[in-house]
């Protein structure tokens, strides 16, 4: 049977004045299954890596300009194509930083959409129905564009399909209550027009989708009364004069969806394969009206196979790429993984016992998110084994519990029994097969711990995190629970193993770590490898103060401007034998280890900066002092070996310094305690700039060395003179 798995949030939605969309013009795949391009309805285009739920790049048009169609990716040239203000075509690559400086061309007529799919050439569909290949259009942007549509006819939807021998542009139009389908072939260039059959008076299609299978184009469309129709058009089409007339388009009813009271307002249907259709914005048959669901229906057997309630407002938008559904609802754009195995009548009716096979497992493209909370539906026979009863007959074990029974036990059993049962469960050899159940288990433990202050199972939660079957999306309250209970070891594990921690939670951890006392931080144990690294770094003797990356120290760089006079040799000797304050770790050992975990957590600058501004000036100064300490230790000539030990990189340290200065520079300038710190940071940057400058002077010589041919036979001993110019 088809299944919907636990979803996760890709991004938030910008406010939109248009009630018919969520502030998103479109979501388009970029080459592979893990990257999508999201275009909002105002000025921004963002490239996301789906598995990390993080933006990789973002581009924005100027104030006063507006993006008017979804951005597409051209895999042939590895370029992005967008249209602003209906007439300006913009083309750029990922490394381009400013959209306004990229290539742009103004065309003579308003553009409806740019389409680009793998295996085909980018095409431009104009609002009046004309179609041009993008390259041909850019060769003469101001070429005249013909009008294909009638005077009061307007495009409502369009797509692009590439077959083995042909490329099609398909679009639907509306004219005085009638709807038409246009089929534009590009080789040869022919156009055919079809008339859609009318539904009940006043009812117009809410959504369209098209697919290609068995040399036929299949058009799927949904009406407000819940009727889903399919029209099939041969790849060859009908032999007739172009534009001579509108041929009637036969249709067959695939589904009759329940709509509750009234009609559907914002809904969409998307064909997933030859037997399954995803529908969003339609009530669940057993949930009543007032709730919107995402459902997968089997069209062969007319059965509902999977359903998931979608919180917040539904906008009738739905995209599908590589077994993932992208749905804007409320204030978020969610990704819902799904699976549609072939069905028999028995499985469609829920009468076939599910067998544990590789095919029945959830997709694994996004670890920890895909098969959460729905495992019981896909595998109803799976049970969770409990520990064996301690009797004289060792072969006799206690009856196994179902998933629901095990969760009920967790809700009521004492701490010791829960920890014992979880330990036995996690000792099983097939632990990866229990991944969905582990998500439910962790969520139940966290929920009870939040409700009952006397209940807390730190060892069980730590063991669950260690399985790598959890993530923040599965159990979003786990990190905050660990902070509330001051379980810093669990916090550390979550920061290490969760790839999807939101920036707000990362900043909450930073604030908790930087605010706690060194004594409180030393209570409890942390991950040994990260502790060993900091012990080595703190215990290591500081290097020569006067040398930093081959240049004078910050103190020497500004000594003339700050000391007000010279110093005696004895004073200089005393300064060199004593440890400078900036080379003394300003925080305790365990506190430093926890701060290092924050430094290594993935984040997006734009999302993290607003939360960093919540830190007080004292917290920022202390954190900057610690970053300064790390920078000095890393910059010394003999950095201790860290192979196998978890530690932040120098790049991560400098990135956080920049973030803190961006978020608090004005406050720091006005804080007297931060003056010396800022001067030190300024000197550090000055020394780095000087180093890069000196390296730049010999860059040409180093490149010439690479070009030189190495003699193969040099004997046991040789002297070679290399002249550098």
């Amino acid at each position: 049977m088809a299944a919907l798995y636990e979803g996760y949030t890709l991004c938030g939605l910008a406010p939109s004045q248009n009630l018919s969309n969520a502030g998103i013009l479109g979501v388009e795949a970029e080459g592979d299954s893990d990257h999508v391009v999201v275009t909002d309805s105002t000025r921004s285009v963002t490239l996301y890596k789906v598995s990390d739920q993080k933006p990789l790049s973002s581009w924005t048009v100027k104030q006063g300009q507006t993006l008017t169609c979804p951005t597409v990716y051209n895999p042939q040239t590895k370029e992005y194509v967008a249209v602003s203000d209906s007439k300006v075509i913009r083309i750029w690559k990922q490394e381009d930083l400013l959209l306004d400086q990229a290539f742009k061309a103004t065309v003579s007529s308003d553009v409806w959409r740019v389409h680009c799919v793998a295996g085909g050439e980018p095409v431009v569909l104009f609002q009046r129905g004309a179609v041009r290949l993008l390259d041909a259009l850019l060769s003469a942007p101001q070429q005249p564009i013909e009008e294909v549509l009638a005077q009061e006819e307007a495009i409502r939807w369009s797509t692009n399909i590439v077959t083995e021998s042909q490329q099609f542009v398909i679009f639907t139009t509306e004219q005085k209550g009638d709807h038409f389908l246009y089929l534009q072939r590009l080789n040869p260039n022919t156009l055919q027009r079809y008339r859609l059959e009318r539904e009940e008076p006043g009812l117009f299609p809410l959504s369209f989708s098209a697919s290609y299978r068995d040399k036929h184009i299949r058009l799927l469309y949904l009406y407000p009364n819940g009727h889903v129709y399919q029209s099939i058009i041969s790849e060859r089409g009908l032999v007739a004069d172009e534009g001579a007339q509108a041929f009637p388009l036969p249709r067959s009813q695939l589904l009759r969806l329940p709509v509750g009271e009234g009609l559907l307002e914002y809904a969409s249907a998307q064909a997933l394969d030859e037997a399954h259709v995803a529908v969003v914005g339609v009530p669940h048959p057993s949930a009543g009206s007032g709730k919107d669901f995402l459902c997968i229906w089997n069209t062969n057997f007319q059965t509902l196979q999977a359903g998931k309630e979608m919180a917040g407002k539904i906008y009738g938008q739905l995209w599908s790429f590589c077994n993932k559904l992208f749905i804007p609802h409320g204030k978020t754009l969610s990704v819902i993984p799904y699976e549609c195995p072939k069905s028999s009548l028995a499985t469609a009716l829920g009468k076939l016992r599910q067998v544990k096979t590789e095919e029945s497992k959830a997709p694994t493209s996004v670890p920890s998110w895909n098969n959460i909370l729905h495992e019981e539906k896909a595998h109803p026979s799976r049970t969770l084994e409990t520990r064996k009863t301690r009797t004289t007959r060792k072969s006799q074990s206690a009856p196994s519990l179902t998933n629901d029974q095990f969760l009920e036990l967790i809700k009521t059993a004492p701490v010791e029994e829960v920890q014992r049962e979880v330990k036995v469960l996690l000792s099983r050899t097939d632990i990866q097969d229990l991944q969905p159940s582990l998500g439910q288990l962790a969520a139940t433990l966290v929920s009870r711990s939040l409700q009952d202050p006397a209940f807390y199972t730190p060892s069980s939660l730590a063991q669950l995190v260690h399985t790598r079957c959890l993530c923040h999306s599965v159990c979003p309250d786990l990190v905050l629970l660990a902070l509330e209970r001051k379980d810093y070891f669990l916090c550390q594990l979550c920061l290490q193993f969760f790839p999807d921690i939101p920036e707000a939670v990362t900043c909450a951890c930073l604030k908790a770590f930087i605010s706690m006392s060194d004594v409180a931080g030393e209570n409890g144990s942390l991950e040994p490898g990260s502790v060993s690294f900091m012990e080595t770094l703190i215990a290591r003797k500081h290097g020569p103060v006067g040398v930093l990356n081959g240049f004078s120290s910050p103190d020497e760089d500004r000594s003339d401007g700050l000391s007000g006079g010279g110093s005696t040799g004895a004073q200089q000797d005393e300064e060199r034998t004593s440890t400078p304050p900036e080379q003394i770790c300003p925080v305790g050992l365990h506190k430093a280890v926890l701060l290092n975990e924050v430094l290594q957590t993935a984040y997006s600058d734009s999302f993290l900066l607003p939360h960093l501004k919540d830190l007080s000036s004292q917290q920022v100064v202390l954190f900057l002092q610690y970053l300064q300490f790390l920078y000095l230790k890393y910059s010394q000539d003999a950095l201790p070996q860290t192979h196998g030990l978890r530690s932040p990189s120098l790049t991560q340290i400098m990135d956080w310094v920049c973030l803190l200065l961006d978020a608090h520079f004005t406050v720091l300038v006005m804080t007297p305690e931060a003056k010396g710190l800022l001067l030190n940071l300024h000197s550090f940057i000055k020394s780095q700039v000087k180093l890069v400058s000196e390296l730049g002077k010999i860059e040409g010589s180093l490149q010439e060395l690479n070009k030189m041919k190495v003699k193969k036979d040099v004997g046991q001993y040789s002297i070679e003179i290399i002249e550098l110019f």
Side-chain angles (χ1 to χ4, degrees):
M1 289 180 62
L4 291 169
Y5 299 101
E6 182 67 13
Y8 48 94
T9 299
L10 183 64
C11 63
L13 302 179
S16 174
Q17 301 298 327
N18 189 350
L19 296 179
S20 63
N21 66 61
I24 292 181
L25 286 180
V27 178
E28 298 287 338
E30 193 224 65
D32 58 27
S33 62
D34 202 28
H35 293 82
V36 294
V37 182
V38 179
T39 308
D40 68 29
S41 58
T42 54
R43 303 188 299 127
S44 298
V45 179
T46 307
L47 172 65
Y48 288 94
K49 185 175 182 181
V50 179
S51 59
D52 291 344
Q53 306 161 45
K54 300 292 183 183
L56 301 181
S57 300
S58 184
W59 303 272
T60 306
V61 296
K62 285 185 176 180
Q63 188 75 31
Q65 299 172 340
T66 305
L67 294 170
T68 50
C69 77
T71 301
V72 297
Y73 177 74
N74 184 356
Q76 298 177 356
T77 61
K78 300 186 184 307
E79 294 175 327
Y80 302 93
V81 185
V83 178
S84 62
D85 302 323
S86 299
K87 288 187 177 181
V88 182
I89 298 177
R90 300 173 181 267
I91 302 176
W92 72 95
K93 292 181 177 290
Q94 185 175 349
E95 56 266 24
D96 295 331
L97 299 178
L98 298 177
L99 196 57
D100 197 57
Q101 296 180 0
F103 172 84
K104 53 186 174 182
T106 303
V107 296
S108 60
S109 183
D110 289 347
V111 174
W112 166 259
R113 280 288 303 269
V114 178
H115 289 288
C116 185
V117 295
E121 297 184 55
V123 295
V124 179
L125 172 62
F126 290 89
Q127 290 188 9
R128 301 308 303 157
V131 175
R132 293 287 190 276
L133 291 174
L134 180 61
D135 290 343
L137 178 62
L138 295 180
S139 64
Q142 289 297 311
Q143 61 183 271
I145 304 298
E146 70 276 10
E147 291 196 7
V148 176
L149 305 184
Q151 186 64 33
E152 298 181 4
E153 194 174 4
I155 298 177
R156 298 303 181 206
W157 168 85
S158 65
T159 190
N160 187 21
I161 290 179
V162 176
T163 68
E164 296 85 353
S165 59
Q166 184 61 266
Q167 183 171 354
F168 296 91
V169 177
I170 306 170
F171 57 97
T172 62
T173 65
E174 180 184 357
Q175 181 187 18
K176 296 180 179 179
D178 290 323
H179 284 77
F180 301 91
L181 173 72
Y182 286 80
L183 190 65
Q184 172 76 60
R185 293 172 178 81
L186 300 183
N187 186 24
N189 194 355
T190 60
L191 177 66
Q192 289 185 324
R193 186 176 187 235
Y194 301 88
R195 182 192 298 273
L196 273 65
E197 293 184 25
R198 283 202 173 194
E199 191 66 3
E200 301 174 15
L203 297 184
F204 308 118
L206 292 176
S207 73
F208 292 90
S209 72
S211 59
Y212 176 77
R213 188 173 67 255
D214 300 331
K215 298 187 180 299
H216 287 81
I217 296 172
R218 302 168 188 271
L219 183 70
L220 188 80
Y221 40 109
L222 167 68
Y223 279 91
N225 57 5
H227 293 183
V228 179
Y229 294 98
Q230 178 179 257
S231 296
I232 301 177
I233 309 168
S234 172
E235 181 181 1
R236 296 180 179 180
L238 300 175
V239 180
D241 295 334
E242 296 185 23
Q245 59 179 337
F247 299 100
L249 185 64
R251 70 182 187 185
S252 59
Q253 184 172 318
L254 287 183
L255 292 170
R256 185 170 183 175
L257 303 174
V259 298
E261 300 177 0
L263 299 172
L264 301 176
E265 187 175 3
Y266 300 110
S268 181
Q270 180 85 32
L272 303 180
D273 59 21
E274 63 272 14
H276 296 90
V277 174
V279 183
V280 68
V282 177
H284 194 283
S286 61
S289 59
K291 294 182 179 181
D292 292 312
F293 279 77
L294 168 66
C295 299
I296 296 181
W297 288 79
N298 187 304
T299 57
N300 289 341
F301 305 114
Q302 302 289 301
T303 57
L304 174 63
Q305 296 198 333
K308 185 178 186 64
E309 184 178 355
M310 307 304 296
K313 178 178 174 58
I314 293 294
Y315 301 91
Q317 293 176 295
L318 177 64
W319 297 273
S320 174
F321 305 109
C322 302
N323 279 28
K324 299 182 187 71
L325 295 169
F326 295 78
I327 306 168
H329 61 100
K331 297 182 179 180
T332 61
L333 173 63
S334 292
V335 183
I336 313 291
Y338 70 90
E339 184 183 25
C340 290
K342 290 185 178 180
S343 299
S344 64
L345 180 59
T347 57
L349 296 176
K351 301 297 184 181
L352 181 65
R353 182 180 180 182
Q354 298 296 309
V355 182
K356 179 183 173 182
T357 63
E358 289 299 320
E359 289 77 9
S360 66
K361 292 182 180 179
T364 57
S365 57
V366 183
S368 303
W369 288 301
N370 297 352
N371 43 350
I372 312 297
L373 303 179
H374 292 279
E375 185 69 3
E376 189 178 359
K377 294 180 181 179
H379 306 280
S381 63
R382 180 171 294 173
T383 59
L384 297 175
E385 296 180 17
T386 60
R387 62 183 178 88
K388 293 184 178 181
T389 306
R390 296 181 179 178
T391 64
T392 54
R393 297 177 61 186
K394 295 183 179 180
S395 61
Q396 182 179 0
S397 61
S400 59
L401 300 177
T402 65
N403 190 18
D404 287 340
Q405 290 173 334
F406 192 84
L407 295 179
E408 286 299 323
L409 181 143
I410 293 175
K411 293 177 182 178
T412 56
V415 172
E416 295 77 10
E417 184 177 354
V418 170
Q419 293 188 144
R420 184 171 59 250
E421 297 293 346
V422 172
K423 183 178 180 180
V424 173
L425 172 66
L426 296 181
S427 65
R428 290 176 50 168
T429 57
D430 59 343
I431 189 65
Q432 291 299 323
D433 294 335
L434 298 178
Q435 180 174 332
S437 301
L438 296 183
Q440 290 180 303
L441 172 60
T444 305
L445 286 174
V446 171
S447 176
R448 183 178 175 186
S449 299
L450 291 172
Q451 296 174 3
D452 183 3
F455 180 86
Y456 187 56
T457 55
S459 60
S460 297
L461 292 172
Q463 290 170 357
L464 286 168
V465 175
H466 264 297
T467 64
R468 297 179 181 267
C469 294
L470 302 183
C471 62
H472 185 271
S473 300
V474 172
C475 199
D477 294 326
L478 179 56
V479 180
L480 298 179
L481 171 66
L483 289 176
E484 179 183 322
R485 298 299 180 99
K486 297 183 179 180
D487 188 347
Y488 299 121
F489 177 61
L490 182 58
C491 288
Q492 183 187 25
L493 293 180
C494 292
L495 291 172
Q496 287 183 9
F497 294 134
F498 288 2
D500 60 333
I501 294 181
E503 286 76 1
V505 177
T506 300
C507 204
C509 291
L510 171 61
K511 195 170 184 179
F513 298 159
I514 204 73
S515 301
M516 71 180 183
S517 64
D518 291 339
V519 176
E522 300 305 316
N523 295 331
S525 60
L526 296 177
E527 194 269 325
S530 54
V531 174
S532 297
F533 168 77
M534 281 308 301
E535 287 177 339
T536 304
L537 200 66
I538 293 175
R540 180 175 177 270
K541 294 181 179 180
H542 67 279
V545 179
V547 177
L548 182 65
N549 282 334
F551 297 101
S552 59
S553 71
D555 292 332
E556 291 183 359
D557 282 343
R558 67 171 192 268
S559 59
D560 294 340
L562 296 178
S563 62
S567 58
T568 66
Q571 289 174 330
Q572 293 178 356
D573 292 339
E574 182 180 352
E575 290 174 1
R576 290 184 179 274
T577 55
S578 62
T579 302
E582 60 267 18
Q583 293 209 21
I584 300 175
C585 186
V587 298
L589 174 63
H590 282 195
K591 191 170 181 177
V593 170
L594 294 172
L595 291 176
N596 287 350
E597 297 297 342
V598 174
L599 297 181
Q600 298 171 82
T601 304
Y603 63 86
S604 170
D605 295 9
S606 57
F607 293 131
L608 183 61
L609 274 174
H611 300 290
L612 285 179
K613 293 180 180 179
D614 294 335
L615 297 176
S616 66
S617 58
Q618 290 79 9
Q619 292 170 339
V620 173
V621 170
L622 179 58
F623 195 24
L624 282 174
Q625 288 173 344
Y626 176 67
L627 294 174
Q628 175 187 245
F629 162 78
L630 288 180
Y631 175 84
L632 279 175
K633 289 291 186 180
Y634 275 54
S635 299
Q636 290 174 358
D637 294 339
L639 183 66
Q641 295 294 320
T642 59
H643 297 298
L645 299 181
R646 182 171 171 82
S647 58
S649 66
L650 183 60
T651 301
Q652 290 171 329
I653 295 170
M654 295 307 298
D655 286 345
W656 273 91
V657 170
C658 296
L659 282 169
L660 288 172
L661 292 178
D662 286 344
H664 290 274
F665 185 74
T666 304
V667 176
L668 291 172
V669 169
M670 303 297 292
T671 304
E673 297 82 1
K675 180 178 179 181
L677 179 62
L678 292 178
L679 289 173
N680 275 342
L681 293 174
H682 172 72
S683 299
F684 296 156
I685 300 302
K686 183 179 178 181
S687 68
Q688 292 295 309
V689 172
K690 186 177 180 182
L691 173 61
V692 173
S693 176
E694 294 295 326
L695 290 175
K697 294 177 182 179
I698 63 172
E699 180 182 6
S701 301
L702 296 176
Q703 290 176 349
E704 291 299 323
L705 287 176
N706 288 331
K707 296 178 182 178
M708 295 180 62
K709 295 182 179 179
V710 180
K711 296 180 180 179
K712 295 183 179 180
D713 300 325
V714 295
Q716 295 181 349
Y717 178 78
S718 67
I719 298 176
E720 186 174 356
I721 299 175
I722 301 174
E723 295 182 2
L724 300 177
F725 299 96

